[in-house]
Amino acid sequence: MSAVRSRRIEVTFRHPFRLPGFLNAEPAGVYAVEIEEEQIGGMNTIGFLRTATWFNVPALGVKSSVSRAYPITQEELDSAWEADQTAGGKEQPEK
């Protein structure tokens, strides 16, 4: 049986943005992204393979009676984040 781990990162968007499959643009803010990974490897090497990435809305700190998590690929997240960045000096979301 493989071990599964979950971790959470936060991604900041400085401008309204739209992710693939979203009907409306999301407002600027800090968003939680949940990453699920499964342990792979043998006796000598162990690694983790990403099995799912979930983008949570609304943004952190926004009061809402409804919270949802949407599946997203790392490429979609990277593309949306890069499009949001108009000035240099920002780190890319964790991979």
Side-chain angles (χ1 to χ4, degrees):
M1 181 174 199
S2 312
V4 176
R5 73 178 182 186
S6 244
R7 59 192 176 99
R8 177 180 148 161
I9 63 171
E10 294 178 359
V11 179
T12 301
F13 287 90
R14 296 185 297 170
H15 311 282
F17 64 98
R18 186 173 308 200
L19 294 170
F22 281 46
L23 296 176
N24 301 309
E26 293 297 321
V30 178
Y31 289 82
V33 177
E34 303 288 334
I35 299 169
E36 295 176 9
E37 299 168 315
E38 184 175 333
Q39 184 177 333
I40 58 172
M43 298 284 279
N44 296 326
T45 58
I46 295 176
F48 285 87
L49 175 68
R50 185 174 300 202
T51 56
T53 304
W54 300 91
F55 189 86
N56 295 288
V57 294
L60 297 175
V62 173
K63 293 185 181 193
S64 175
S65 60
V66 178
S67 177
R68 294 200 171 124
Y70 295 93
I72 186 172
T73 67
Q74 184 65 48
E75 292 79 17
E76 292 168 335
L77 180 59
D78 287 345
S79 178
W81 186 86
E82 288 168 4
D84 182 66
Q85 303 306 300
T86 57
K90 296 287 183 181
E91 290 186 25
Q92 199 167 354
E94 199 174 316
K95 291 186 180 182

